[in-house]
Protein backbone atom coordinates (compact mmCIF):
# COMPACT_ATOMS: atom_id res chain seq x y z
CA UNK A 1 0.00 0.00 0.00
CA UNK A 2 1.17 3.56 -0.81
CA UNK A 3 0.19 6.76 0.91
CA UNK A 4 -1.70 9.14 -1.42
CA UNK A 5 -3.45 12.45 -0.70
CA UNK A 6 -7.24 12.51 -1.07
CA UNK A 7 -8.53 16.09 -0.89
CA UNK A 8 -12.15 14.96 -0.55
CA UNK A 9 -11.15 13.31 2.74
CA UNK A 10 -8.76 16.12 3.72
CA UNK A 11 -6.02 13.61 4.56
CA UNK A 12 -3.57 11.05 3.16
CA UNK A 13 -4.95 7.54 2.70
CA UNK A 14 -3.70 4.08 1.78
CA UNK A 15 -3.99 3.01 -1.88
CA UNK A 16 -2.51 -0.09 -3.58
CA UNK A 17 -0.66 1.94 -6.28
CA UNK A 18 1.84 4.83 -6.20
CA UNK A 19 0.45 8.37 -6.42
CA UNK A 20 0.34 9.36 -10.11
CA UNK A 21 -1.93 11.87 -11.83
CA UNK A 22 -3.04 12.65 -15.39
CA UNK A 23 -2.33 16.09 -16.89
CA UNK A 24 -6.06 16.69 -17.28
CA UNK A 25 -9.02 15.06 -15.57
CA UNK A 26 -12.44 14.28 -17.08
CA UNK A 27 -15.03 15.62 -14.62
CA UNK A 28 -18.70 16.59 -14.53
CA UNK A 29 -21.33 18.36 -12.46
CA UNK A 30 -24.94 17.13 -12.28
CA UNK A 31 -27.57 19.47 -10.83
CA UNK A 32 -29.98 17.07 -9.10
CA UNK A 33 -32.51 19.86 -8.57
CA UNK A 34 -33.28 19.74 -12.28
CA UNK A 35 -33.35 16.02 -13.17
CA UNK A 36 -36.77 14.78 -14.32
CA UNK A 37 -35.83 11.11 -14.87
CA UNK A 38 -36.68 11.28 -18.56
CA UNK A 39 -33.87 8.74 -19.20
CA UNK A 40 -32.82 10.42 -22.43
CA UNK A 41 -29.23 10.19 -21.15
CA UNK A 42 -29.67 6.48 -20.44
CA UNK A 43 -30.99 5.76 -23.92
CA UNK A 44 -28.37 7.94 -25.62
CA UNK A 45 -25.68 5.84 -23.95
CA UNK A 46 -27.47 2.53 -24.53
CA UNK A 47 -28.02 3.17 -28.23
CA UNK A 48 -24.38 4.14 -28.69
CA UNK A 49 -22.40 1.61 -26.67
CA UNK A 50 -24.44 -1.22 -25.10
CA UNK A 51 -27.03 -2.34 -27.68
CA UNK A 52 -25.43 -5.70 -28.55
CA UNK A 53 -25.99 -9.28 -27.41
CA UNK A 54 -24.73 -9.86 -23.86
CA UNK A 55 -25.25 -6.21 -22.93
CA UNK A 56 -29.00 -6.47 -22.28
CA UNK A 57 -28.86 -5.50 -18.59
CA UNK A 58 -25.83 -3.24 -18.95
CA UNK A 59 -26.62 0.44 -18.36
CA UNK A 60 -23.41 2.50 -18.17
CA UNK A 61 -25.59 5.54 -17.53
CA UNK A 62 -28.50 4.97 -15.18
CA UNK A 63 -30.97 7.19 -13.33
CA UNK A 64 -32.31 5.84 -10.04
CA UNK A 65 -34.90 7.16 -7.61
CA UNK A 66 -33.56 7.83 -4.15
CA UNK A 67 -34.05 6.72 -1.43
CA UNK A 68 -35.91 3.65 -2.78
CA UNK A 69 -33.96 2.64 -5.83
CA UNK A 70 -30.54 1.64 -7.05
CA UNK A 71 -28.81 -0.06 -9.96
CA UNK A 72 -27.69 -2.64 -9.05
CA UNK A 73 -30.31 -2.98 -6.33
CA UNK A 74 -29.28 -1.38 -2.99
CA UNK A 75 -25.67 -0.84 -4.16
CA UNK A 76 -24.98 2.01 -1.74
CA UNK A 77 -26.84 0.61 1.26
CA UNK A 78 -25.00 -2.71 0.87
CA UNK A 79 -21.59 -0.99 1.00
CA UNK A 80 -22.49 1.45 3.77
CA UNK A 81 -23.64 -1.49 5.90
CA UNK A 82 -20.49 -3.47 5.08
CA UNK A 83 -18.28 -0.53 6.08
CA UNK A 84 -20.24 -0.08 9.31
CA UNK A 85 -19.75 -3.77 10.09
CA UNK A 86 -16.06 -4.06 9.17
CA UNK A 87 -14.75 -0.61 10.20
CA UNK A 88 -17.32 1.07 12.47
CA UNK A 89 -14.80 3.31 14.27
CA UNK A 90 -14.90 7.12 13.79
CA UNK A 91 -17.09 7.16 10.69
CA UNK A 92 -17.53 10.92 10.89
CA UNK A 93 -16.07 14.17 9.64
CA UNK A 94 -14.12 16.39 12.01
CA UNK A 95 -14.84 20.10 11.83
CA UNK A 96 -11.51 21.38 10.56
CA UNK A 97 -12.49 22.56 7.05
CA UNK A 98 -10.11 25.11 5.55
CA UNK A 99 -12.45 25.75 2.66
CA UNK A 100 -13.21 29.45 2.80
CA UNK A 101 -13.76 31.26 -0.49
CA UNK A 102 -10.48 33.15 -0.10
CA UNK A 103 -8.69 29.80 -0.51
CA UNK A 104 -10.62 27.91 -3.19
CA UNK A 105 -8.04 25.20 -3.89
CA UNK A 106 -7.81 24.19 -0.26
CA UNK A 107 -6.48 20.80 0.81
CA UNK A 108 -9.48 19.97 3.02
CA UNK A 109 -12.54 21.90 1.81
CA UNK A 110 -14.96 19.56 3.62
CA UNK A 111 -12.88 18.95 6.76
CA UNK A 112 -11.31 15.58 7.50
CA UNK A 113 -12.95 12.17 7.31
CA UNK A 114 -11.73 10.13 10.28
CA UNK A 115 -13.13 6.71 9.33
CA UNK A 116 -11.61 4.07 7.08
CA UNK A 117 -12.04 4.11 3.30
CA UNK A 118 -12.81 0.98 1.28
CA UNK A 119 -9.04 0.55 0.72
CA UNK A 120 -8.15 0.93 4.41
CA UNK A 121 -10.98 -1.35 5.54
CA UNK A 122 -10.13 -4.08 3.03
CA UNK A 123 -7.26 -5.80 4.85
CA UNK A 124 -9.60 -6.84 7.67
CA UNK A 125 -12.09 -8.45 5.35
CA UNK A 126 -11.58 -11.60 3.31
CA UNK A 127 -14.36 -12.38 0.85
CA UNK A 128 -15.32 -15.86 -0.32
CA UNK A 129 -12.96 -15.27 -3.29
CA UNK A 130 -9.92 -14.36 -1.14
CA UNK A 131 -8.36 -11.12 0.16
CA UNK A 132 -9.59 -7.83 -1.30
CA UNK A 133 -7.71 -4.67 -2.34
CA UNK A 134 -10.88 -2.71 -1.67
CA UNK A 135 -13.81 -3.62 0.54
CA UNK A 136 -16.76 -4.54 -1.67
CA UNK A 137 -19.30 -7.15 -2.65
CA UNK A 138 -20.44 -8.84 -5.84
CA UNK A 139 -24.11 -8.10 -6.67
CA UNK A 140 -26.25 -11.09 -7.71
CA UNK A 141 -27.69 -11.45 -11.23
CA UNK A 142 -31.10 -10.49 -9.82
CA UNK A 143 -29.65 -7.23 -8.47
CA UNK A 144 -28.72 -6.14 -12.00
CA UNK A 145 -31.78 -7.43 -13.79
CA UNK A 146 -34.54 -4.89 -13.19
CA UNK A 147 -33.30 -1.32 -12.90
CA UNK A 148 -36.03 1.13 -11.86
CA UNK A 149 -38.53 -1.59 -10.97
CA UNK A 150 -40.35 -0.64 -7.73
CA UNK A 151 -39.14 2.95 -8.09
CA UNK A 152 -41.83 5.60 -8.53
CA UNK A 153 -44.51 2.90 -8.09
CA UNK A 154 -46.63 2.59 -4.99
CA UNK A 155 -47.51 -1.08 -5.42
CA UNK A 156 -45.28 -4.12 -5.56
CA UNK A 157 -43.61 -6.56 -3.27
CA UNK A 158 -40.14 -5.65 -2.14
CA UNK A 159 -37.48 -8.16 -3.12
CA UNK A 160 -39.77 -10.18 -5.41
CA UNK A 161 -38.95 -9.34 -9.05
CA UNK A 162 -41.96 -9.05 -11.34
CA UNK A 163 -44.44 -9.81 -8.56
CA UNK A 164 -47.01 -7.09 -8.01
CA UNK A 165 -49.81 -6.88 -5.50
CA UNK A 166 -53.19 -6.00 -6.97
CA UNK A 167 -54.51 -4.17 -3.93
CA UNK A 168 -53.99 -0.46 -3.35
CA UNK A 169 -51.41 0.10 -0.64
CA UNK A 170 -52.40 2.14 2.40
CA UNK A 171 -49.41 4.29 3.22
CA UNK A 172 -48.86 5.80 6.67
CA UNK A 173 -49.04 9.58 6.79
CA UNK A 174 -45.56 11.04 6.78
CA UNK A 175 -43.64 13.65 4.87
CA UNK A 176 -42.49 12.15 1.60
CA UNK A 177 -39.49 13.08 -0.48
CA UNK A 178 -37.47 11.58 -3.26
CA UNK A 179 -35.07 12.65 -5.97
CA UNK A 180 -33.50 11.30 -9.13
CA UNK A 181 -29.83 10.38 -9.07
CA UNK A 182 -28.22 10.09 -12.51
CA UNK A 183 -24.99 8.09 -12.45
CA UNK A 184 -22.11 7.14 -14.71
CA UNK A 185 -18.57 5.95 -13.91
CA UNK A 186 -16.83 8.67 -11.90
CA UNK A 187 -13.43 8.12 -13.56
CA UNK A 188 -12.07 8.28 -10.02
CA UNK A 189 -8.69 9.72 -9.09
CA UNK A 190 -7.99 6.56 -7.05
CA UNK A 191 -10.12 3.97 -8.85
CA UNK A 192 -11.05 0.87 -6.87
CA UNK A 193 -11.46 -1.02 -10.16
CA UNK A 194 -7.81 -0.35 -11.05
CA UNK A 195 -6.71 -1.31 -7.53
CA UNK A 196 -8.55 -4.63 -7.65
CA UNK A 197 -7.68 -5.94 -11.12
CA UNK A 198 -5.20 -8.85 -10.81
CA UNK A 199 -4.46 -8.66 -14.57
CA UNK A 200 -3.64 -4.91 -14.67
CA UNK A 201 -6.25 -4.72 -17.42
CA UNK A 202 -7.73 -1.44 -16.17
CA UNK A 203 -5.86 1.83 -16.58
CA UNK A 204 -6.30 5.58 -16.20
CA UNK A 205 -5.33 7.56 -19.29
CA UNK A 206 -2.58 10.14 -18.65
CA UNK A 207 -4.12 12.66 -21.07
CA UNK A 208 -7.61 12.94 -19.52
CA UNK A 209 -7.91 10.59 -16.53
CA UNK A 210 -10.56 8.46 -18.28
CA UNK A 211 -10.57 4.92 -16.82
CA UNK A 212 -10.73 2.09 -19.39
CA UNK A 213 -10.70 -1.71 -19.37
CA UNK A 214 -8.37 -3.35 -21.92
CA UNK A 215 -10.73 -5.97 -23.36
CA UNK A 216 -7.83 -8.15 -24.55
CA UNK A 217 -6.27 -8.39 -21.06
CA UNK A 218 -9.54 -8.80 -19.11
CA UNK A 219 -10.37 -12.39 -18.12
CA UNK A 220 -13.71 -11.57 -16.48
CA UNK A 221 -12.65 -12.30 -12.88
CA UNK A 222 -15.05 -9.50 -11.80
CA UNK A 223 -12.69 -8.22 -9.11
CA UNK A 224 -13.43 -4.70 -10.41
CA UNK A 225 -17.18 -5.32 -10.16
CA UNK A 226 -16.70 -6.36 -6.56
CA UNK A 227 -14.39 -3.44 -5.68
CA UNK A 228 -16.04 -0.47 -7.41
CA UNK A 229 -18.15 1.20 -4.72
CA UNK A 230 -20.41 2.71 -7.41
CA UNK A 231 -20.83 -0.64 -9.20
CA UNK A 232 -20.03 0.74 -12.63
CA UNK A 233 -17.98 -2.09 -14.22
CA UNK A 234 -20.40 -4.68 -15.64
CA UNK A 235 -19.72 -8.28 -16.65
CA UNK A 236 -20.65 -9.40 -20.17
CA UNK A 237 -21.34 -13.16 -20.18
CA UNK A 238 -20.91 -13.86 -23.91
CA UNK A 239 -17.44 -12.27 -24.14
CA UNK A 240 -16.50 -13.28 -20.57
CA UNK A 241 -15.02 -9.85 -20.02
CA UNK A 242 -16.08 -6.81 -18.02
CA UNK A 243 -17.05 -3.52 -19.65
CA UNK A 244 -17.64 -0.03 -18.33
CA UNK A 245 -18.37 3.57 -19.31
CA UNK A 246 -15.63 4.85 -21.61
CA UNK A 247 -16.59 8.54 -21.18
CA UNK A 248 -17.26 8.63 -24.97
CA UNK A 249 -13.52 9.21 -25.36
CA UNK A 250 -13.61 9.70 -29.16
CA UNK A 251 -15.84 12.73 -28.55
CA UNK A 252 -13.66 14.04 -25.69
CA UNK A 253 -10.62 13.68 -27.99
CA UNK A 254 -12.41 15.54 -30.80
CA UNK A 255 -12.14 12.48 -33.10
CA UNK A 256 -15.85 11.79 -33.50
CA UNK A 257 -16.91 13.08 -36.96
CA UNK A 258 -19.51 15.33 -35.29
CA UNK A 259 -16.92 17.16 -33.19
CA UNK A 260 -15.10 19.01 -36.02
CA UNK A 261 -11.86 18.28 -34.18
CA UNK A 262 -12.82 20.05 -30.96
CA UNK A 263 -13.37 18.33 -27.57
CA UNK A 264 -17.06 17.50 -27.26
CA UNK A 265 -19.24 16.37 -24.36
CA UNK A 266 -20.31 12.72 -24.05
CA UNK A 267 -23.58 11.36 -25.46
CA UNK A 268 -25.33 11.32 -22.07
CA UNK A 269 -24.27 14.90 -21.29
CA UNK A 270 -25.18 16.39 -24.62
CA UNK A 271 -28.62 14.75 -24.75
CA UNK A 272 -29.79 15.86 -21.29
CA UNK A 273 -33.31 17.24 -21.55
CA UNK A 274 -33.36 18.66 -18.03
CA UNK A 275 -30.14 20.60 -18.66
CA UNK A 276 -28.69 19.20 -15.45
CA UNK A 277 -25.26 18.29 -16.84
CA UNK A 278 -22.01 20.13 -17.46
CA UNK A 279 -18.87 18.21 -18.40
CA UNK A 280 -15.30 19.41 -18.65
CA UNK A 281 -11.60 18.76 -18.33
CA UNK A 282 -9.68 20.01 -15.30
CA UNK A 283 -5.93 20.77 -15.44
CA UNK A 284 -4.16 18.76 -12.72
CA UNK A 285 -0.70 19.43 -11.28
CA UNK A 286 1.80 16.59 -10.76
CA UNK A 287 0.96 16.36 -7.06
CA UNK A 288 -2.75 15.90 -7.86
CA UNK A 289 -3.92 19.39 -6.89
CA UNK A 290 -6.15 21.14 -9.39
CA UNK A 291 -4.35 23.92 -11.25
CA UNK A 292 -6.03 27.20 -10.29
CA UNK A 293 -8.54 28.07 -13.02
CA UNK A 294 -11.35 30.17 -11.54
CA UNK A 295 -12.71 30.88 -15.05
CA UNK A 296 -13.20 27.16 -15.79
CA UNK A 297 -16.90 26.55 -15.00
CA UNK A 298 -16.28 23.21 -13.27
CA UNK A 299 -13.43 24.62 -11.17
CA UNK A 300 -15.68 27.52 -10.21
CA UNK A 301 -18.67 25.34 -9.22
CA UNK A 302 -16.63 22.73 -7.30
CA UNK A 303 -13.69 24.64 -5.79
CA UNK A 304 -14.79 28.29 -5.59
CA UNK A 305 -18.60 28.36 -5.12
CA UNK A 306 -18.55 24.82 -3.61
CA UNK A 307 -22.12 24.12 -4.73
CA UNK A 308 -21.19 20.78 -6.35
CA UNK A 309 -20.09 17.90 -4.11
CA UNK A 310 -18.63 14.39 -4.62
CA UNK A 311 -20.87 11.29 -4.33
CA UNK A 312 -20.04 9.30 -1.17
CA UNK A 313 -16.59 10.86 -0.69
CA UNK A 314 -16.06 8.66 2.38
CA UNK A 315 -15.61 5.59 0.14
CA UNK A 316 -12.18 7.07 -0.73
CA UNK A 317 -11.87 6.82 -4.53
CA UNK A 318 -11.98 10.64 -5.02
CA UNK A 319 -14.72 10.42 -7.66
CA UNK A 320 -14.70 13.07 -10.40
CA UNK A 321 -18.49 13.30 -10.65
CA UNK A 322 -19.98 16.14 -8.57
CA UNK A 323 -23.60 16.87 -7.66
CA UNK A 324 -25.52 19.99 -6.69
CA UNK A 325 -27.62 18.41 -3.90
CA UNK A 326 -31.45 18.61 -3.95
CA UNK A 327 -32.86 21.40 -1.79
CA UNK A 328 -35.87 19.52 -0.37
CA UNK A 329 -34.27 16.36 0.99
CA UNK A 330 -33.59 15.79 4.73
CA UNK A 331 -30.08 16.97 5.50
CA UNK A 332 -28.84 13.85 7.37
CA UNK A 333 -29.53 11.76 4.27
CA UNK A 334 -27.70 14.26 2.06
CA UNK A 335 -24.73 14.57 4.44
CA UNK A 336 -24.34 10.80 4.32
CA UNK A 337 -24.39 10.89 0.52
CA UNK A 338 -22.37 14.04 -0.24
CA UNK A 339 -20.43 14.80 2.96
CA UNK A 340 -20.46 17.83 5.23
CA UNK A 341 -20.41 20.44 2.44
CA UNK A 342 -24.17 19.96 1.89
CA UNK A 343 -25.54 22.81 4.05
CA UNK A 344 -23.24 25.45 2.61
CA UNK A 345 -23.84 24.21 -0.97
CA UNK A 346 -27.65 24.33 -0.68
CA UNK A 347 -27.63 27.71 1.03
CA UNK A 348 -25.53 29.14 -1.78
CA UNK A 349 -27.59 27.47 -4.52
CA UNK A 350 -30.94 28.67 -3.14
CA UNK A 351 -29.86 32.33 -3.15
CA UNK A 352 -27.24 32.43 -5.91
CA UNK A 353 -25.01 35.44 -6.32
CA UNK A 354 -24.48 37.17 -9.65
CA UNK A 355 -21.60 34.95 -10.82
CA UNK A 356 -23.18 31.64 -9.79
CA UNK A 357 -26.45 32.50 -11.52
CA UNK A 358 -24.54 33.27 -14.71
CA UNK A 359 -22.44 30.06 -14.62
CA UNK A 360 -25.59 27.94 -14.02
CA UNK A 361 -26.86 29.12 -17.43
CA UNK A 362 -24.01 27.27 -19.15
CA UNK A 363 -25.47 23.82 -18.44
CA UNK A 364 -26.39 22.13 -21.74
CA UNK A 365 -26.26 25.20 -23.96
CA UNK A 366 -23.61 23.69 -26.27
CA UNK A 367 -22.18 20.21 -26.83
CA UNK A 368 -18.62 21.60 -27.07
CA UNK A 369 -16.59 21.31 -23.86
CA UNK A 370 -16.35 24.74 -22.22
CA UNK A 371 -12.85 25.43 -20.88
CA UNK A 372 -13.38 29.07 -19.85
CA UNK A 373 -16.22 31.47 -19.24
CA UNK A 374 -16.53 35.24 -19.06
CA UNK A 375 -19.38 37.40 -17.77
CA UNK A 376 -20.37 40.71 -19.38
CA UNK A 377 -22.38 42.75 -16.91
CA UNK A 378 -25.91 43.84 -17.84
CA UNK A 379 -28.64 45.93 -16.21
CA UNK A 380 -30.42 45.06 -12.95
CA UNK A 381 -33.73 43.31 -13.66
CA UNK A 382 -35.32 42.85 -10.26
CA UNK A 383 -34.72 42.41 -6.58
CA UNK A 384 -36.49 40.20 -4.05
CA UNK A 385 -35.99 38.38 -0.76
CA UNK A 386 -35.42 34.61 -0.68
CA UNK A 387 -35.27 32.86 2.71
CA UNK A 388 -34.57 36.19 4.39
CA UNK A 389 -31.71 37.04 2.04
CA UNK A 390 -31.58 39.70 -0.65
CA UNK A 391 -31.52 38.30 -4.18
CA UNK A 392 -30.79 40.59 -7.11
CA UNK A 393 -31.02 39.49 -10.72
CA UNK A 394 -29.04 41.16 -13.48
CA UNK A 395 -29.37 40.56 -17.19
CA UNK A 396 -25.71 39.60 -17.55
CA UNK A 397 -24.35 37.80 -20.59
CA UNK A 398 -22.26 34.68 -20.02
CA UNK A 399 -19.84 33.54 -22.70
CA UNK A 400 -18.17 30.12 -22.97
CA UNK A 401 -14.93 29.31 -24.86
CA UNK A 402 -13.44 26.05 -26.17
CA UNK A 403 -9.83 24.88 -25.70
CA UNK A 404 -8.64 27.20 -28.52
CA UNK A 405 -10.34 30.27 -27.05
CA UNK A 406 -13.15 30.23 -29.65
CA UNK A 407 -16.55 31.42 -28.41
CA UNK A 408 -18.93 28.42 -28.33
CA UNK A 409 -21.83 29.84 -26.33
CA UNK A 410 -23.30 33.27 -25.51
CA UNK A 411 -26.41 33.43 -23.35
CA UNK A 412 -28.31 35.99 -21.31
CA UNK A 413 -29.15 35.31 -17.67
CA UNK A 414 -32.60 36.84 -18.05
CA UNK A 415 -34.53 34.46 -20.29
CA UNK A 416 -36.88 36.11 -22.78
CA UNK A 417 -40.62 35.42 -22.47
CA UNK A 418 -42.35 34.47 -25.70
CA UNK A 419 -46.10 35.05 -25.94
CA UNK A 420 -48.02 32.78 -28.28
CA UNK A 421 -50.01 34.80 -30.79
CA UNK A 422 -53.79 34.40 -30.39
CA UNK A 423 -54.14 32.59 -33.71
CA UNK A 424 -53.43 29.38 -31.70
CA UNK A 425 -56.39 27.72 -29.99
CA UNK A 426 -54.72 27.41 -26.61
CA UNK A 427 -53.26 30.93 -26.42
CA UNK A 428 -53.80 32.73 -23.14
S1 LIG B 1 -16.60 4.68 -10.52
FE1 LIG B 1 -15.92 2.54 -10.25
S2 LIG B 1 -15.50 1.83 -12.35
FE2 LIG B 1 -15.48 4.08 -12.40
S3 LIG B 1 -13.32 4.65 -12.05
FE3 LIG B 1 -14.36 4.72 -10.05
S4 LIG B 1 -13.96 2.68 -9.19
FE4 LIG B 1 -13.54 2.51 -11.40
S1 LIG C 1 -31.43 13.30 -19.60
FE1 LIG C 1 -30.95 14.72 -17.90
S2 LIG C 1 -32.96 15.20 -17.01
FE2 LIG C 1 -33.24 13.34 -18.26
S3 LIG C 1 -32.89 11.65 -16.78
FE3 LIG C 1 -30.91 12.06 -17.77
S4 LIG C 1 -29.88 13.46 -16.33
FE4 LIG C 1 -32.08 13.49 -15.81
Amino acid sequence: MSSVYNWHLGRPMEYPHEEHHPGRQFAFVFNINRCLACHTCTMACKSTWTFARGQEVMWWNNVETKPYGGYPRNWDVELLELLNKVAPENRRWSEAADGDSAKPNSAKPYGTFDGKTIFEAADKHVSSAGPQQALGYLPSDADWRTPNLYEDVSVGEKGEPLKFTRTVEQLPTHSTWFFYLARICNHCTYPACVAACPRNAIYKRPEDGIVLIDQKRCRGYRKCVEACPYKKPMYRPNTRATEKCIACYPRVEGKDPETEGRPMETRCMSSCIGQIRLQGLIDVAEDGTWAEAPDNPLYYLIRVAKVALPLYPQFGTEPNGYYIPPRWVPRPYLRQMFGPGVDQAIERYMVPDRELLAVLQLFRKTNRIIFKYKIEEGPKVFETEIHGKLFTQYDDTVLGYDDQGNEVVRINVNEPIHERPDIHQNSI
Side-chain angles (χ1 to χ4, degrees), residues 35-41 63 182 272-274 276-277:
C35 181
L36 50 144
C38 62
H39 285 278
T40 314
C41 50
V63 183
C272 175
I273 300 286
I276 85 154
R277 295 172 175 230

Side-chain angles (χ1 to χ4, degrees), residues 143-397:
D143 290 338
W144 294 104
R145 200 174 294 140
T146 50
N148 298 118
L149 200 64
Y150 310 118
E151 299 179 14
D152 293 11
V153 249
S154 61
V155 292
E157 286 185 15
K158 195 170 174 252
E160 290 289 328
L162 304 176
K163 190 172 169 195
F164 290 96
T165 50
R166 299 217 172 264
T167 53
V168 176
E169 297 296 322
Q170 198 69 42
L171 292 173
T173 306
H174 59 90
S175 70
T176 53
W177 55 271
F178 67 91
F179 63 95
Y180 300 120
L181 186 71
R183 299 199 304 117
I184 63 170
C185 164
N186 293 293
H187 299 278
C188 305
T189 301
Y190 303 114
C193 54
V194 172
C197 180
R199 297 266 309 156
N200 288 331
I202 312 181
Y203 59 102
K204 194 164 170 66
R205 303 205 315 176
E207 63 269 41
D208 50 24
I210 290 173
V211 175
L212 297 176
I213 301 176
D214 181 339
Q215 293 293 293
K216 291 204 181 88
R217 287 197 64 79
C218 178
R219 290 284 180 275
Y221 299 151
R222 285 183 275 183
K223 288 287 180 187
C224 54
V225 184
E226 182 185 58
C228 171
Y230 305 99
K231 296 291 169 250
K232 279 299 170 186
M234 293 155 203
Y235 180 67
R236 183 170 175 179
N238 61 339
T239 60
R240 298 191 180 174
T242 301
E243 298 178 3
K244 65 177 282 302
C245 157
I246 58 170
C248 294
Y249 68 82
R251 289 167 71 95
V252 174
E253 289 171 356
K255 290 193 180 137
D256 184 289
E258 245 189 77
T259 65
E260 296 165 339
R262 301 262 61 84
M264 192 186 242
E265 289 192 331
T266 65
R267 290 276 288 132
C268 60
M269 308 284 172
S270 56
S271 64
C272 175
I273 300 286
Q275 304 190 337
I276 85 154
R277 295 172 175 230
L278 190 69
Q279 179 213 317
L281 290 164
I282 299 281
D283 286 333
V284 179
E286 269 186 23
D287 66 356
T289 49
W290 289 13
E292 295 217 2
D295 54 359
N296 177 308
L298 289 196
Y299 185 97
Y300 169 77
L301 292 164
I302 298 159
R303 307 280 341 215
V304 182
K306 298 185 175 70
V307 290
L309 302 168
L311 180 64
Y312 290 117
Q314 67 270 39
F315 292 165
T317 63
E318 207 184 282
N320 288 298
Y322 293 83
Y323 292 81
I324 302 179
R327 305 179 307 278
W328 58 88
V329 172
R331 297 296 168 88
Y333 186 89
L334 291 180
R335 287 187 207 112
Q336 174 179 259
M337 187 172 264
F338 301 110
V342 158
D343 299 283
Q344 188 260 355
I346 293 180
E347 201 176 306
R348 188 134 191 204
Y349 179 73
M350 288 208 296
V351 193
D353 62 21
R354 191 168 183 171
E355 185 163 11
L356 177 56
L357 197 60
V359 174
L360 289 170
Q361 310 310 313
L362 292 172
F363 283 62
R364 285 273 21 81
K365 295 302 186 305
T366 172
N367 53 17
R368 297 291 186 274
I369 292 181
I370 300 172
F371 287 77
K372 283 186 176 178
Y373 71 90
K374 193 173 89 180
I375 298 167
E376 287 175 358
E377 294 194 347
K380 183 164 140 181
V381 182
F382 74 95
E383 210 166 67
T384 187
E385 208 174 89
I386 304 176
H387 299 289
K389 286 191 182 160
L390 183 68
F391 169 77
T392 312
Q393 185 165 323
Y394 298 87
D395 190 16
D396 293 337
T397 306

